[in-house]
Coordinates of all heavy atoms in Angstrom, one line a residue:
Chain X
D28 N 78.0 82.7 92.1 CA 79.1 81.9 92.7 C 79.9 82.7 93.8 O 80.1 83.9 93.6 CB 80.1 81.5 91.5 CG 81.1 80.4 92.0 OD1 82.1 80.8 92.6 OD2 80.8 79.2 91.9
I29 N 80.3 81.9 94.8 CA 81.1 82.5 95.9 C 82.3 83.4 95.4 O 82.6 84.4 95.9 CB 81.5 81.4 96.8 CG1 82.5 82.0 98.0 CG2 82.2 80.3 96.2 CD1 82.8 81.0 99.0
K30 N 82.9 82.9 94.3 CA 84.1 83.6 93.8 C 83.9 84.9 93.0 O 84.7 85.8 93.0 CB 84.9 82.7 92.9 CG 86.3 83.2 92.5 CD 87.0 82.2 91.6 CE 87.8 81.2 92.3 NZ 89.0 81.8 93.0
F31 N 82.7 84.9 92.3 CA 82.5 86.1 91.4 C 82.4 87.4 92.2 O 81.6 87.6 93.1 CB 81.3 85.8 90.5 CG 81.3 86.6 89.3 CD1 82.4 86.5 88.4 CD2 80.3 87.5 89.0 CE1 82.4 87.2 87.2 CE2 80.3 88.3 87.8 CZ 81.4 88.1 86.9
K33 N 82.3 90.6 90.4 CA 82.0 91.6 89.5 C 80.5 91.9 89.3 O 80.1 92.6 88.3 CB 82.6 91.3 88.1 CG 84.1 91.2 88.2 CD 84.7 92.5 88.5 CE 86.2 92.5 88.4 NZ 86.8 93.9 88.7
H55 N 99.5 82.1 72.9 CA 100.4 80.9 72.7 C 99.5 79.6 72.6 O 100.1 78.6 72.4 CB 101.4 80.8 73.8 CG 102.4 81.8 73.8 ND1 103.6 81.7 73.0 CD2 102.6 83.0 74.4 CE1 104.3 82.8 73.2 NE2 103.8 83.6 74.1
W81 N 91.4 75.3 80.0 CA 92.4 74.8 81.0 C 93.7 75.5 80.8 O 94.7 75.2 81.4 CB 92.4 73.2 81.1 CG 91.2 72.7 81.6 CD1 90.0 72.4 81.0 CD2 90.9 72.4 83.0 NE1 89.1 71.9 81.8 CE2 89.6 71.9 83.1 CE3 91.7 72.5 84.2 CZ2 89.0 71.5 84.3 CZ3 91.1 72.1 85.4 CH2 89.8 71.7 85.5
N82 N 93.8 76.3 79.7 CA 95.1 76.9 79.4 C 95.3 78.3 80.1 O 96.3 79.0 80.0 CB 95.3 77.1 77.9 CG 95.5 75.8 77.2 OD1 95.8 74.8 77.8 ND2 95.3 75.8 75.9
C83 N 94.2 78.8 80.8 CA 94.3 80.1 81.5 C 95.4 80.1 82.5 O 95.7 79.1 83.3 CB 93.0 80.4 82.1 SG 93.0 81.9 83.2
F84 N 96.2 81.2 82.6 CA 97.3 81.3 83.5 C 97.0 81.9 84.9 O 97.8 82.1 85.8 CB 98.4 82.2 82.9 CG 99.3 81.5 81.9 CD1 98.9 81.3 80.6 CD2 100.6 81.1 82.3 CE1 99.6 80.6 79.7 CE2 101.4 80.4 81.3 CZ 100.9 80.2 80.1
Y85 N 95.7 82.4 85.0 CA 95.2 83.1 86.2 C 96.1 84.3 86.5 O 96.4 84.6 87.6 CB 95.2 82.1 87.4 CG 94.2 81.0 87.3 CD1 94.4 79.8 88.1 CD2 93.1 81.0 86.5 CE1 93.4 78.8 87.9 CE2 92.2 80.0 86.3 CZ 92.4 78.9 87.1 OH 91.5 77.8 87.0
C86 N 96.5 85.0 85.4 CA 97.3 86.2 85.6 C 96.5 87.5 85.8 O 97.0 88.5 86.2 CB 98.3 86.4 84.4 SG 97.4 87.0 82.9
Y87 N 95.1 87.3 85.6 CA 94.2 88.4 85.9 C 94.4 89.6 85.1 O 94.0 90.7 85.4 CB 94.2 88.8 87.4 CG 93.5 87.8 88.3 CD1 94.1 86.6 88.7 CD2 92.2 88.1 88.8 CE1 93.5 85.7 89.6 CE2 91.6 87.2 89.6 CZ 92.2 86.0 90.0 OH 91.6 85.1 90.9
T88 N 95.2 89.5 84.0 CA 95.3 90.7 83.1 C 93.9 91.1 82.5 O 93.6 92.3 82.6 CB 96.3 90.4 81.9 OG1 97.5 89.9 82.5 CG2 96.6 91.7 81.1
H90 N 91.0 90.5 83.8 CA 90.3 91.1 85.0 C 90.6 92.5 85.2 O 89.8 93.3 85.6 CB 90.6 90.1 86.1 CG 90.3 90.6 87.5 ND1 89.2 90.0 88.2 CD2 90.8 91.4 88.4 CE1 89.1 90.5 89.4 NE2 90.1 91.4 89.6
S91 N 91.9 92.9 85.1 CA 92.4 94.3 85.4 C 92.1 95.2 84.4 O 92.1 96.5 84.6 CB 93.8 94.3 85.8 OG 94.6 94.1 84.6
E101 N 88.1 85.2 86.6 CA 87.2 84.6 87.6 C 86.2 83.6 87.0 O 85.9 82.5 87.5 CB 86.4 85.6 88.4 CG 87.3 86.4 89.4 CD 86.6 87.4 90.2 OE1 85.3 87.6 90.0 OE2 87.1 87.9 91.2
Q108 N 85.3 74.9 88.2 CA 84.7 74.3 89.5 C 83.4 73.6 89.2 O 83.1 72.6 89.8 CB 84.6 75.4 90.6 CG 85.9 75.8 91.2 CD 86.7 74.6 91.9 OE1 86.1 73.8 92.4 NE2 88.0 74.8 91.8
K119 N 92.0 66.2 85.0 CA 92.8 67.5 85.2 C 93.2 67.7 86.6 O 94.2 68.4 86.8 CB 91.8 68.7 84.7 CG 91.4 68.7 83.3 CD 92.5 69.0 82.4 CE 92.0 69.1 81.0 NZ 93.2 69.2 80.0
F123 N 97.4 67.1 90.6 CA 97.5 68.1 91.5 C 97.0 67.8 92.9 O 97.0 68.6 93.8 CB 97.0 69.5 91.0 CG 97.6 69.9 89.8 CD1 97.0 69.7 88.5 CD2 98.8 70.6 89.8 CE1 97.7 70.1 87.3 CE2 99.5 71.0 88.7 CZ 98.9 70.7 87.4
F126 N 98.6 68.6 96.4 CA 98.4 69.8 97.2 C 97.5 69.5 98.3 O 97.7 70.1 99.5 CB 97.8 70.9 96.3 CG 98.8 71.6 95.4 CD1 98.6 71.6 94.0 CD2 99.9 72.3 96.0 CE1 99.5 72.2 93.2 CE2 100.8 72.9 95.0 CZ 100.6 72.9 93.7
Y130 N 98.7 69.6 102.4 CA 98.0 70.4 103.4 C 97.6 69.4 104.6 O 97.7 69.9 105.8 CB 96.8 71.1 102.8 CG 96.6 72.4 103.4 CD1 97.0 73.6 102.8 CD2 96.0 72.5 104.7 CE1 96.9 74.8 103.4 CE2 95.9 73.8 105.3 CZ 96.3 75.0 104.6 OH 96.1 76.2 105.2
A134 N 100.2 71.2 106.5 CA 99.5 72.5 106.6 C 100.1 73.4 105.7 O 100.0 74.7 105.9 CB 99.2 72.9 107.9
I135 N 101.0 73.1 104.8 CA 101.5 74.0 103.8 C 101.3 73.3 102.4 O 101.2 72.1 102.3 CB 102.9 74.4 104.0 CG1 104.0 73.3 103.7 CG2 103.2 75.1 105.3 CD1 105.4 73.8 103.6
G136 N 101.2 74.1 101.3 CA 100.8 73.5 100.0 C 101.8 73.8 98.9 O 101.5 74.1 97.8
A137 N 103.1 73.6 99.3 CA 104.1 73.9 98.2 C 104.1 72.7 97.2 O 103.3 71.8 97.4 CB 105.5 74.0 98.8
I138 N 105.0 72.8 96.3 CA 105.0 71.9 95.1 C 104.9 70.4 95.6 O 105.7 69.9 96.4 CB 106.4 72.1 94.3 CG1 106.5 73.5 93.9 CG2 106.4 71.2 93.1 CD1 107.9 74.0 93.5
F142 N 105.9 65.8 91.4 CA 106.6 66.6 90.4 C 108.1 66.7 90.6 O 108.9 67.1 89.8 CB 106.1 68.0 90.4 CG 104.7 68.1 90.0 CD1 103.7 68.6 90.9 CD2 104.2 67.7 88.8 CE1 102.4 68.8 90.5 CE2 102.9 67.8 88.4 CZ 101.9 68.3 89.3
E145 N 110.6 65.2 87.8 CA 110.7 66.1 86.6 C 111.5 67.3 86.9 O 112.3 67.8 86.1 CB 109.3 66.4 86.1 CG 109.4 67.1 84.7 CD 108.0 67.4 84.1 OE1 107.0 66.8 84.7 OE2 107.9 68.1 83.1
D149 N 114.9 68.9 85.1 CA 114.9 70.1 84.4 C 115.8 71.1 85.1 O 116.3 72.1 84.4 CB 113.5 70.7 84.4 CG 112.5 69.9 83.5 OD1 113.0 69.0 82.8 OD2 111.3 70.1 83.7
W153 N 118.7 71.4 91.9 CA 117.6 71.7 92.7 C 117.4 70.6 93.9 O 117.1 70.9 95.0 CB 116.3 71.7 91.9 CG 115.1 71.9 92.7 CD1 114.7 73.1 93.3 CD2 114.1 70.9 93.1 NE1 113.5 73.0 94.0 CE2 113.1 71.6 93.9 CE3 114.0 69.6 92.9 CZ2 112.0 70.9 94.4 CZ3 112.9 68.9 93.4 CH2 111.9 69.6 94.2
F156 N 119.8 71.0 96.6 CA 119.4 72.2 97.5 C 118.3 71.7 98.5 O 118.3 71.9 99.7 CB 118.9 73.3 96.7 CG 117.9 74.2 97.3 CD1 118.2 74.9 98.5 CD2 116.5 74.2 96.9 CE1 117.2 75.7 99.1 CE2 115.6 74.9 97.5 CZ 115.9 75.7 98.6
R157 N 117.3 71.0 97.9 CA 116.2 70.5 98.7 C 116.7 69.6 99.8 O 116.1 69.7 101.0 CB 115.1 69.8 97.9 CG 114.0 70.7 97.3 CD 113.3 71.5 98.4 NE 112.1 72.3 98.0 CZ 110.9 71.7 98.0 NH1 110.7 70.4 98.3 NH2 109.9 72.4 97.6
R164 N 117.9 76.6 106.2 CA 117.0 77.4 107.0 C 117.6 77.7 108.4 O 117.4 78.7 109.0 CB 115.6 76.6 107.1 CG 114.8 76.6 105.8 CD 113.5 75.9 106.0 NE 112.7 76.6 107.1 CZ 111.9 77.6 107.0 NH1 111.8 78.2 105.8 NH2 111.3 78.2 107.9
E166 N 120.7 78.0 109.1 CA 121.8 79.0 109.0 C 121.1 80.4 108.9 O 121.7 81.4 109.3 CB 122.5 78.7 107.7 CG 123.8 79.5 107.6 CD 124.7 79.2 106.4 OE1 124.2 78.4 105.5 OE2 125.8 79.6 106.4
L167 N 119.9 80.4 108.3 CA 119.1 81.7 108.1 C 118.4 82.1 109.5 O 117.7 83.1 109.4 CB 118.2 81.6 107.0 CG 118.9 81.5 105.6 CD1 117.8 81.1 104.5 CD2 119.6 82.8 105.2
L169 N 115.8 80.5 110.7 CA 114.3 80.4 110.5 C 113.8 79.2 111.3 O 114.5 78.2 111.5 CB 114.0 80.3 109.0 CG 114.4 81.5 108.2 CD1 114.2 81.3 106.7 CD2 113.6 82.8 108.5
P174 N 103.9 73.9 110.6 CA 103.4 74.3 111.9 C 103.3 73.1 112.9 O 103.4 72.0 112.4 CB 102.0 74.9 111.7 CG 101.8 74.9 110.2 CD 102.8 74.0 109.6
P175 N 103.1 73.3 114.3 CA 103.1 72.2 115.1 C 101.9 71.3 114.8 O 101.0 71.7 114.2 CB 102.8 72.9 116.5 CG 103.0 74.3 116.3 CD 103.0 74.7 114.9
V178 N 98.2 72.1 115.1 CA 97.7 73.1 114.1 C 97.3 72.2 112.9 O 96.4 72.5 112.2 CB 98.8 74.2 113.8 CG1 98.2 75.0 112.6 CG2 98.9 75.1 115.0
E181 N 94.2 70.5 113.5 CA 93.1 71.5 113.5 C 92.6 71.7 112.1 O 91.4 71.6 111.7 CB 93.4 72.8 114.2 CG 92.3 73.8 114.3 CD 92.8 75.0 115.2 OE1 93.1 74.8 116.3 OE2 92.8 76.1 114.6
L186 N 89.3 70.8 107.1 CA 89.1 70.3 105.7 C 88.1 69.1 105.6 O 87.4 69.1 104.7 CB 90.5 69.8 105.2 CG 91.6 70.9 105.0 CD1 92.9 70.3 104.7 CD2 91.1 71.8 103.8
K188 N 85.5 68.6 107.6 CA 84.2 69.2 107.9 C 83.6 70.0 106.7 O 82.4 70.0 106.5 CB 84.1 70.2 109.1 CG 84.2 69.3 110.4 CD 82.8 69.1 111.0 CE 82.9 68.5 112.4 NZ 82.3 67.2 112.5
C189 N 84.4 70.7 106.0 CA 83.9 71.6 104.9 C 83.7 70.8 103.6 O 83.3 71.4 102.6 CB 84.7 72.8 104.7 SG 86.4 72.6 104.0
F191 N 85.9 69.1 101.8 CA 87.0 69.1 100.9 C 87.4 67.6 100.7 O 87.7 67.2 99.6 CB 88.1 69.9 101.4 CG 89.4 70.0 100.7 CD1 89.4 70.6 99.4 CD2 90.5 69.3 101.1 CE1 90.6 70.6 98.7 CE2 91.7 69.3 100.4 CZ 91.7 70.0 99.2
Chain T
T18 N 109.1 79.3 102.2 CA 109.6 78.4 103.2 C 110.5 77.3 102.6 O 111.5 76.9 103.1 CB 108.4 77.7 103.9 OG1 107.7 78.8 104.6 CG2 108.8 76.7 104.9
V19 N 110.0 76.7 101.5 CA 110.8 75.6 100.9 C 111.6 75.9 99.6 O 112.4 75.0 99.3 CB 109.8 74.4 100.6 CG1 109.1 73.9 101.8 CG2 108.8 74.7 99.5
E20 N 111.4 77.0 99.0 CA 112.2 77.3 97.8 C 113.2 78.4 98.0 O 114.4 78.3 97.6 CB 111.3 77.6 96.7 CG 110.4 76.4 96.2 CD 111.2 75.3 95.6 OE1 112.3 75.5 95.0 OE2 110.8 74.1 95.6
P22 N 114.1 80.4 101.2 CA 113.8 80.9 102.6 C 114.5 82.2 102.9 O 114.1 82.9 103.8 CB 114.5 79.8 103.4 CG 115.3 78.9 102.4 CD 114.7 79.1 101.1
S26 N 114.1 85.7 105.6 CA 115.2 86.3 106.5 C 115.5 87.7 106.0 O 115.8 88.5 106.8 CB 116.4 85.4 106.6 OG 116.7 84.8 105.4
E43 N 104.0 80.6 114.4 CA 104.1 79.2 114.1 C 102.7 78.6 113.8 O 102.7 77.6 113.1 CB 104.9 78.5 115.1 CG 104.3 78.3 116.5 CD 105.0 77.3 117.4 OE1 106.1 76.8 117.0 OE2 104.4 76.9 118.4
D44 N 101.7 79.2 114.3 CA 100.4 78.4 114.0 C 99.6 78.9 112.8 O 98.5 78.7 112.7 CB 99.5 78.4 115.3 CG 99.6 79.7 116.1 OD1 100.2 80.6 115.7 OD2 98.9 79.8 117.2
T46 N 98.8 78.9 108.9 CA 99.1 77.9 107.9 C 99.0 78.5 106.5 O 98.7 79.7 106.4 CB 98.0 76.8 107.9 OG1 96.7 77.3 107.6 CG2 97.8 76.2 109.3
C47 N 99.3 77.7 105.5 CA 99.4 78.2 104.1 C 98.1 78.8 103.6 O 97.0 78.2 104.0 CB 99.9 77.0 103.3 SG 99.8 77.1 101.6
L51 N 98.7 77.7 95.9 CA 99.2 77.0 94.7 C 98.1 76.0 94.4 O 97.8 75.6 93.3 CB 100.4 76.3 95.0 CG 101.7 77.3 95.1 CD1 102.9 76.4 95.4 CD2 101.8 78.1 93.9
H53 N 94.9 76.1 95.2 CA 93.6 76.9 94.8 C 93.7 77.2 93.3 O 92.8 76.9 92.6 CB 93.6 78.2 95.6 CG 92.3 79.0 95.3 ND1 91.1 78.8 95.9 CD2 92.1 80.0 94.4 CE1 90.2 79.6 95.5 NE2 90.8 80.4 94.6
Y54 N 94.9 77.7 92.9 CA 95.0 78.0 91.4 C 95.3 76.9 90.6 O 95.5 77.1 89.4 CB 95.9 79.2 91.3 CG 95.3 80.5 91.8 CD1 95.9 81.2 92.8 CD2 94.2 81.0 91.2 CE1 95.3 82.4 93.3 CE2 93.6 82.2 91.6 CZ 94.1 82.9 92.7 OH 93.6 84.1 93.2
S55 N 95.5 75.7 91.2 CA 95.6 74.5 90.4 C 94.2 73.8 90.4 O 94.0 72.6 90.0 CB 96.6 73.5 90.9 OG 97.9 74.1 90.9
D56 N 93.2 74.5 90.9 CA 91.8 74.1 91.0 C 91.4 73.0 91.9 O 90.3 72.5 91.9 CB 91.3 73.7 89.5 CG 91.7 74.8 88.5 OD1 91.2 75.9 88.5 OD2 92.6 74.5 87.7
V57 N 92.4 72.7 92.8 CA 92.1 71.6 93.8 C 91.4 72.2 95.0 O 90.4 71.6 95.5 CB 93.5 71.0 94.2 CG1 93.2 70.0 95.4 CG2 94.1 70.2 93.1
Q60 N 86.9 77.8 96.3 CA 86.9 79.1 97.1 C 86.4 79.0 98.6 O 86.8 79.6 99.4 CB 86.1 80.1 96.3 CG 86.2 81.5 96.9 CD 87.5 82.1 96.8 OE1 88.1 82.3 95.8 NE2 88.1 82.5 98.0
T62 N 86.6 76.3 100.6 CA 87.7 75.6 101.5 C 88.8 76.6 101.8 O 89.2 76.8 102.9 CB 88.2 74.4 100.7 OG1 87.2 73.5 100.4 CG2 89.3 73.7 101.5
R69 N 90.4 81.0 109.5 CA 91.2 80.5 110.6 C 92.5 81.3 110.8 O 92.8 81.7 111.9 CB 91.6 79.1 110.4 CG 92.3 78.5 111.6 CD 93.0 77.1 111.3 NE 93.9 76.9 112.4 CZ 95.2 77.5 112.4 NH1 95.6 78.2 111.4 NH2 95.9 77.2 113.4
K95 N 91.0 88.4 98.9 CA 89.7 87.9 98.3 C 88.9 87.3 99.5 O 87.7 87.5 99.6 CB 90.1 86.8 97.3 CG 89.0 86.0 96.7 CD 88.4 86.7 95.5 CE 87.3 86.0 94.8 NZ 86.7 86.8 93.7
K103 N 79.7 88.6 101.9 CA 78.8 87.5 101.6 C 78.4 86.9 102.9 O 79.0 85.9 103.3 CB 79.5 86.5 100.6 CG 79.9 87.3 99.3 CD 80.1 86.3 98.1 CE 80.4 87.2 96.9 NZ 80.5 86.4 95.6
I113 N 80.8 75.8 110.4 CA 81.9 74.7 110.4 C 82.8 74.8 111.6 O 83.2 73.8 112.2 CB 82.7 74.8 109.0 CG1 81.8 74.2 108.0 CG2 84.0 74.1 109.2 CD1 82.3 74.4 106.6
E116 N 80.8 73.3 114.5 CA 80.7 71.9 114.4 C 82.0 71.2 114.8 O 82.1 70.1 115.2 CB 80.3 71.4 113.0 CG 78.8 71.7 112.7 CD 78.5 71.4 111.2 OE1 79.4 70.8 110.5 OE2 77.5 71.9 110.7
S117 N 83.1 71.9 114.6 CA 84.4 71.3 114.8 C 84.9 71.7 116.2 O 86.1 71.4 116.5 CB 85.4 71.9 113.8 OG 85.0 71.8 112.5
C168 N 101.8 89.4 89.0 CA 100.4 89.7 88.6 C 99.4 89.7 89.7 O 98.5 90.5 89.8 CB 99.9 88.6 87.7 SG 100.7 88.6 86.1
H169 N 99.6 88.8 90.8 CA 98.7 88.7 91.9 C 98.9 89.9 92.9 O 98.1 90.0 93.8 CB 98.8 87.3 92.5 CG 98.1 86.3 91.7 ND1 97.8 85.0 92.2 CD2 97.7 86.3 90.4 CE1 97.2 84.3 91.2 NE2 97.2 85.0 90.1
K172 N 97.4 92.9 89.6 CA 96.2 92.9 88.8 C 94.9 92.3 89.4 O 93.8 92.4 88.8 CB 96.4 92.1 87.5 CG 97.7 92.6 86.7 CD 98.0 91.7 85.6 CE 99.2 92.1 84.8 NZ 99.8 91.0 84.0
V173 N 95.0 91.8 90.6 CA 93.8 91.1 91.2 C 93.0 92.1 91.9 O 91.8 92.3 91.6 CB 94.2 89.9 92.1 CG1 92.9 89.2 92.6 CG2 95.1 88.9 91.4
Y175 N 93.4 95.5 92.0 CA 94.1 96.6 91.4 C 93.8 98.0 92.0 O 94.7 98.9 92.0 CB 93.9 96.7 89.8 CG 92.4 96.5 89.4 CD1 91.6 97.5 89.4 CD2 92.0 95.2 89.1 CE1 90.2 97.3 89.0 CE2 90.7 94.9 88.7 CZ 89.8 96.0 88.7 OH 88.5 95.8 88.4
Y182 N 99.1 99.5 87.9 CA 99.1 98.1 87.5 C 99.1 97.9 86.0 O 99.5 96.9 85.5 CB 97.9 97.4 88.1 CG 96.5 98.0 87.6 CD1 95.8 97.4 86.6 CD2 95.9 99.1 88.3 CE1 94.6 98.0 86.2 CE2 94.7 99.6 87.9 CZ 94.0 99.1 86.8 OH 92.8 99.6 86.4
G211 N 104.6 83.3 83.7 CA 104.3 82.2 82.9 C 104.1 80.9 83.7 O 103.9 79.8 83.1
G213 N 101.7 80.1 85.6 CA 100.2 79.7 85.4 C 99.9 78.6 86.3 O 98.9 77.9 86.0
R215 N 99.0 75.6 87.3 CA 99.0 74.2 86.8 C 99.8 74.1 85.5 O 100.3 73.1 85.1 CB 97.6 73.7 86.6 CG 96.8 74.5 85.5 CD 95.5 73.8 85.1 NE 94.8 73.2 86.2 CZ 94.6 71.8 86.2 NH1 95.1 71.1 85.3 NH2 93.9 71.3 87.2
Q216 N 100.0 75.3 84.8 CA 100.6 75.2 83.4 C 102.0 74.8 83.5 O 102.5 74.0 82.7 CB 100.5 76.6 82.7 CG 99.2 77.3 82.7 CD 98.0 76.4 82.1 OE1 98.3 75.4 81.5 NE2 96.8 76.8 82.3
Y218 N 103.4 72.6 85.2 CA 103.5 71.1 85.3 C 102.7 70.4 84.3 O 103.1 69.4 83.8 CB 103.2 70.7 86.8 CG 104.0 71.4 87.8 CD1 103.5 72.4 88.6 CD2 105.3 71.1 87.8 CE1 104.2 73.2 89.5 CE2 106.2 71.9 88.8 CZ 105.6 72.8 89.6 OH 106.4 73.5 90.4
N220 N 101.3 71.6 81.4 CA 101.3 72.2 80.1 C 102.6 73.0 80.0 O 102.6 74.1 79.7 CB 100.1 73.3 80.2 CG 99.3 73.2 78.9 OD1 99.7 72.6 77.9 ND2 98.2 73.8 79.0
K221 N 103.7 72.2 80.2 CA 105.0 72.9 80.3 C 105.5 73.8 79.2 O 106.0 74.8 79.3 CB 106.1 71.9 80.7 CG 107.4 72.4 81.2 CD 108.2 71.5 82.0 CE 108.9 70.5 81.1 NZ 109.8 69.5 81.8
L223 N 103.7 75.3 77.0 CA 102.9 76.6 76.9 C 103.5 77.5 78.0 O 103.8 78.7 77.7 CB 101.5 76.4 77.2 CG 100.6 77.6 77.4 CD1 100.5 78.3 76.0 CD2 99.1 77.1 77.8
V227 N 105.7 81.3 77.4 CA 105.3 82.6 77.9 C 106.5 83.2 78.6 O 106.9 84.4 78.6 CB 104.1 82.5 78.8 CG1 103.9 83.8 79.6 CG2 102.8 82.2 78.0
D230 N 109.2 84.8 76.3 CA 109.0 86.1 75.8 C 109.7 87.1 76.7 O 110.5 88.0 76.2 CB 107.5 86.4 75.9 CG 106.7 85.7 74.7 OD1 107.3 85.2 73.8 OD2 105.5 85.6 74.8
R256 N 114.6 79.1 88.5 CA 114.8 77.6 88.3 C 114.8 77.3 86.8 O 115.5 76.4 86.4 CB 113.6 76.9 89.0 CG 113.5 77.1 90.5 CD 114.5 76.2 91.3 NE 114.3 76.4 92.7 CZ 115.2 76.9 93.6 NH1 116.3 77.4 93.1 NH2 114.8 76.9 94.8
Y260 N 117.0 76.3 81.7 CA 116.2 75.2 80.9 C 115.7 75.8 79.6 O 115.8 75.2 78.6 CB 115.1 74.7 81.8 CG 114.1 73.8 81.1 CD1 114.3 72.5 81.1 CD2 112.9 74.3 80.5 CE1 113.4 71.5 80.5 CE2 112.0 73.4 79.9 CZ 112.3 72.1 79.9 OH 111.4 71.2 79.3
N285 N 125.0 84.2 103.1 CA 124.5 82.9 103.6 C 123.7 83.0 104.8 O 122.8 82.2 105.0 CB 125.8 82.0 103.9 CG 126.5 81.6 102.6 OD1 125.8 81.3 101.6 ND2 127.8 81.5 102.7
K286 N 123.9 84.0 105.6 CA 123.2 84.1 106.9 C 121.9 84.8 106.7 O 121.0 84.8 107.6 CB 124.1 84.7 108.0 CG 125.1 83.7 108.5 CD 126.0 84.3 109.5 CE 127.1 83.4 109.9 NZ 128.3 84.1 110.4
K291 N 122.3 80.1 98.8 CA 122.4 78.7 98.4 C 121.1 78.2 97.7 O 121.1 77.1 97.1 CB 122.8 77.8 99.6 CG 124.2 78.1 100.1 CD 124.5 77.4 101.4 CE 125.7 77.7 102.0 NZ 125.8 77.5 103.4
A292 N 120.0 78.8 97.9 CA 118.8 78.4 97.4 C 118.6 78.7 95.9 O 117.7 78.2 95.3 CB 117.6 79.0 98.2

Side-chain angles (χ1 to χ4, degrees):
Chain X
D28 188 275
I29 174 176
K30 185 180 277 286
F31 200 57
K33 296 296 190 177
H55 292 276
W81 292 86
N82 290 344
C83 173
F84 281 77
Y85 295 158
C86 75
Y87 284 80
T88 306
H90 169 105
S91 71
E101 284 184 354
Q108 286 302 323
K119 297 290 186 189
F123 298 96
F126 282 120
Y130 216 100
I135 68 169
I138 305 166
F142 296 118
E145 189 176 349
D149 294 345
W153 177 78
F156 151 67
R157 269 305 189 89
R164 287 183 58 84
E166 193 176 10
L167 294 168
L169 298 171
V178 173
E181 183 173 302
L186 287 173
K188 283 270 188 237
C189 72
F191 179 72
Chain T
T18 299
V19 300
E20 294 291 333
S26 37
E43 64 169 12
D44 41 359
T46 69
C47 160
L51 294 180
H53 183 85
Y54 288 116
S55 299
D56 310 293
V57 173
Q60 185 66 59
T62 304
R69 182 197 165 277
K95 175 89 178 174
K103 301 196 176 188
I113 283 170
E116 285 172 14
S117 310
C168 294
H169 286 193
K172 299 173 189 168
V173 184
Y175 44 84
Y182 60 97
R215 63 168 41 247
Q216 310 307 345
Y218 303 108
N220 226 345
K221 194 160 73 179
L223 176 66
V227 170
D230 285 341
R256 300 280 186 244
Y260 174 86
N285 290 323
K286 289 178 184 156
K291 288 173 190 157

